[in-house]
Amino acid sequence: MNRVEKPEESEGTASAWALMARLFRDYVGPRKGALILAVLCMAGGAATTGILAWILDPAVKTIFFEKRTDMLLYIPAAVVAVVFLRGAFNYGDSTYNNEVGQGIVADTQRDMFRALMASDLERLNAIHSGKFVSNFIYDATMLREAVTKGVSGLGRELLLLIVLAGVMLYQNWRLTLVSVVVLPVIGLAAKQLGSRVSKASTQSMKETGELSSTLSEMLDGRRIVKAYGLEEHAIARADEKIARRLKYLLRGIRARALSVPVADFVGGLAIAGVVFYAGYEGIAGRLELNQFASFLAAMLLVQQPVRNLSQLWTVTTEGMAAAERVFDLIDSKPHIVDAPGASALRIAPPPLGGRVAFKDVKFSYAGAAAAVNGVTLEVPAGKKVALVGPSGSGKSTLFNLLLRFYERDSGTIEIDGQNIRDVTIASLRRAMALVTQDAFLFDESVAANIACGIPNASIDDIIAAAKGAAAHEFISALPNGYDTIVGEGGLRLSGGQRQRISIARAMLRNAPILLLDEATSALDTENERLVQDALKRLMKGRTTIVIAHRLSTVLDADRICVLEQGRVVEQGRHEELIARGGLYTRLYQHDFQDDNARPTANVG
Ligand SMILES: Nc1ncnc2c1ncn2[C@@H]1O[C@H](COP(=O)(O)OP(=O)(O)O)[C@@H](O)[C@H]1O
Ligand SMILES: [Mg+2]
């Protein structure tokens, strides 16, 4: 993540305002209607609550002192009406408020996901999936809390406070003064507890992320966990994180729970003070009972908004911390973007088009030694070139550069004479089909998995591609044929089946350039033979660059490039390279020996 430098404490407050302003502009703004309705309902709720407190004054006066029986009917009827209205206002307040709040959650999540999809591969690689997922869910929720509880809550509670304080002042301003002396005490306690709550909640958020990382890691590694009997180890790791999370959660809950009795106790002190002073005033004949009843009701009702206001601090600070993370993600811009004025890549129809040329290309991953160190190599249109070399020699990196997953540091890469930096990324990637060793499938139907990238492919096209990939037969035998859902990551299929589906995907894409990165290395011999046949059909008429894990599969390549430590050290046809007796010969001999002993040896 492109984290902004940690701001100074003072700037932190200023930027909290900026964050809040942005939150309102971008996410609350579009829901102005609902927000206005919520505010109107809030005002209604505050007013009816005030009436409820005030009504005790005429009630006591007319019923108890004046003994008017007609009021015995009117006052309760009025109370019922007011209570009903108050309920309706509160309902409206709560639903409109949540409509705004949940809308913010949905909108920020949508924007975060978009930003995520636009990110460079480098950044996606760096994201810790479990932690990210939990942040993705919780940060948006905390934003909602900040808006619904923090901001509209502030409005509601302040309104209520003002109305009730108004009733209190109207009844007796001296009593009101007595009761408000305790407010600063409540405020102070609230701030103290609030910072404890927010610290604990930040920590428990972090632990939630850790837990969700552990969980997804264990699910991803389920086979290894079972096979190596690592269940206890996994349990211990999870237990530790669960326990830590619990500790912080409880710490937060205790601080939060303490804030209620503290506020109540201080409120109780105020009541005691008021009763004392009211009694004194009453005995002196300066306060009527009906006024006192109304005053006391208002004072009891005011406890709730005071208590809620005291929690605002926490919710808002947490929310703004979340907002910072959310906006950080939303604002992150990919580094690899279309050059200004980039045009679409133009490729001549096969067999003329699709020539790939690397010219003195150098590249190193961030902070690492050069992975590609001056590679010059040409793949003529419609030909098949193999990249071989020891593991880590830079073969896959060449694909990463060709696809512009990463930007080369120097040198040029051209397709049909066009520098790949000058063409649009979409058109560049559309010209290529990548098949890797880990055939990735989405948890959708087989047909959807083949058609992905070609949204309007007909079922006939899909079947034709599957036939070409030697996949039609096994797909037809699946319980729902092409409509079978493959399970997360293609769980319900074998490795060879998954690979043939991904080859069908590449067939359907019908791209002029084909990139095969150890496409068959995860397969057994029988599956490998099937997949190799499928690949042969796929390669026909296309420029193909193949990274082979077994040299026997590339003997027929038009050219073989041997890489070592990011450099091309030899190139030529198989016989020429064998005749040289260099690295290729050693790799080949090694492979050949292994081939006899272990059919799936890997030199890639
Ligand atoms: N995403 C990455 N981040 C950092 N270093 C990487 C990354 N991918 C590969 N490397 C390093 O770059 C070098 C070349 O890797 P790679 O191209 O994957 O080799 P090959 O495909 O030939 O086995 C290796 O030293 C490897 O450790
Ligand atoms: Mg590789």
Side-chain angles (χ1 to χ4, degrees), residues 295-357:
F295 181 90
L296 200 61
M299 191 172 159
L300 291 173
L301 285 169
V302 93
Q303 307 255 326
Q304 179 76 18
V306 167
R307 187 185 300 162
N308 288 348
L309 279 173
S310 72
Q311 291 185 351
L312 278 179
W313 178 260
T314 327
V315 178
T316 318
T317 355
E318 280 177 4
M320 290 310 103
E324 199 174 342
R325 288 189 293 269
V326 167
F327 291 147
D328 226 25
L329 172 60
I330 289 175
D331 292 343
S332 65
K333 293 272 171 285
H335 296 299
I336 300 176
V337 291
D338 289 345
S343 52
L345 177 68
R346 288 176 315 274
I347 294 192
L352 300 171
R355 183 174 60 87
V356 176

Side-chain angles (χ1 to χ4, degrees), residues 192-463:
Q192 197 63 36
L193 290 170
S195 78
R196 234 195 280 177
V197 170
S198 111
K199 217 176 280 165
S201 105
T202 311
Q203 277 163 325
S204 67
M205 263 274 294
K206 196 169 146 271
E207 292 305 324
T208 306
E210 293 281 344
L211 180 62
S212 106
S213 278
T214 310
L215 189 61
S216 60
E217 195 174 276
M218 288 311 150
L219 289 174
D220 286 347
R222 60 197 177 273
R223 302 185 70 210
I224 299 297
V225 169
K226 292 276 169 203
Y228 283 73
L230 297 178
E231 291 91 340
E232 286 306 321
H233 170 72
I235 290 170
R237 279 188 57 184
D239 279 353
E240 186 195 319
K241 280 164 190 160
I242 291 170
R244 260 215 306 270
R245 177 165 180 267
L246 179 67
K247 187 176 90 187
Y248 292 128
L249 280 177
L250 288 180
R251 192 177 286 176
I253 286 167
R254 274 197 293 270
R256 210 169 279 145
L258 202 55
S259 73
V260 176
V262 164
D264 281 353
F265 180 72
V266 179
L269 289 182
I271 292 176
V274 163
V275 168
F276 173 81
Y277 187 68
Y280 173 77
E281 292 273 288
I283 290 168
R286 283 190 295 267
L287 181 69
E288 301 289 330
L289 180 61
N290 48 323
Q291 291 176 322
F292 179 61
S294 166
F295 181 90
L296 200 61
M299 191 172 159
L300 291 173
L301 285 169
V302 93
Q303 307 255 326
Q304 179 76 18
V306 167
R307 187 185 300 162
N308 288 348
L309 279 173
S310 72
Q311 291 185 351
L312 278 179
W313 178 260
T314 327
V315 178
T316 318
T317 355
E318 280 177 4
M320 290 310 103
E324 199 174 342
R325 288 189 293 269
V326 167
F327 291 147
D328 226 25
L329 172 60
I330 289 175
D331 292 343
S332 65
K333 293 272 171 285
H335 296 299
I336 300 176
V337 291
D338 289 345
S343 52
L345 177 68
R346 288 176 315 274
I347 294 192
L352 300 171
R355 183 174 60 87
V356 176
F358 288 80
K359 289 182 187 157
D360 197 24
V361 172
K362 291 189 178 141
F363 172 75
S364 52
Y365 292 99
V372 169
N373 199 359
V375 165
T376 299
L377 93 92
E378 196 175 315
V379 187
K383 300 289 187 200
K384 173 181 171 185
V385 167
L387 303 178
V388 303
S391 182
S393 56
K395 305 181 296 292
S396 300
T397 303
L398 287 177
F399 281 5
N400 285 342
L401 297 177
L402 184 57
L403 286 156
R404 276 188 84 191
F405 290 162
Y406 293 81
E407 207 82 275
R408 90 283 168 285
D409 295 331
S410 67
T412 52
I413 306 174
E414 289 176 359
I415 295 178
D416 278 358
Q418 299 151 80
N419 190 329
I420 62 168
R421 297 200 61 175
D422 299 334
V423 300
T424 61
I425 292 173
S427 69
L428 173 73
R429 293 185 185 156
R430 215 181 300 123
M432 294 182 257
L434 173 70
V435 181
T436 61
Q437 145 182 23
D438 44 339
F440 184 81
L441 301 188
F442 298 94
D443 189 10
E444 290 178 47
S445 70
V446 171
N449 265 294
I450 295 176
C452 71
I454 316 276
N456 49 6
S458 73
I459 186 69
D460 292 333
D461 295 339
I462 292 172
I463 291 174

Side-chain angles (χ1 to χ4, degrees), residues 16-129:
W17 282 111
L19 289 168
M20 192 62 96
R22 168 145 181 220
L23 191 59
F24 266 77
R25 192 187 61 226
D26 292 353
Y27 295 99
V28 183
R31 304 195 155 67
K32 244 183 248 125
L35 190 69
I36 289 170
L37 286 172
V39 169
L40 289 179
C41 288
M42 273 180 216
T48 44
T49 308
I51 293 175
L52 219 46
W54 169 81
I55 214 168
L56 281 173
D57 178 353
V60 172
K61 193 165 158 194
T62 56
I63 299 174
F64 289 94
F65 293 157
E66 299 170 6
K67 315 255 184 243
R68 282 171 55 183
T69 41
D70 58 333
M71 281 301 167
L72 212 45
L73 205 64
Y74 293 142
I75 299 263
V79 169
V80 171
V82 172
V83 170
F84 176 82
L85 272 178
R86 183 170 173 244
F89 283 131
N90 285 345
Y91 171 80
D93 171 8
S94 159
T95 46
Y96 288 124
N97 232 321
N98 277 301
E99 194 178 309
V100 174
Q102 299 294 0
I104 293 172
V105 172
D107 279 1
T108 47
Q109 287 179 337
R110 208 185 48 211
D111 288 353
M112 282 195 282
F113 197 82
R114 271 167 210 213
L116 188 67
M117 284 301 104
S119 312
D120 295 328
L121 199 69
E122 180 169 11
R123 182 178 160 146
L124 289 175
N125 285 342
I127 284 175
H128 213 307
S129 67

Side-chain angles (χ1 to χ4, degrees), residues 169 191 207 485 489 522:
L169 280 172
K191 196 172 171 198
E207 292 305 324
I485 305 294

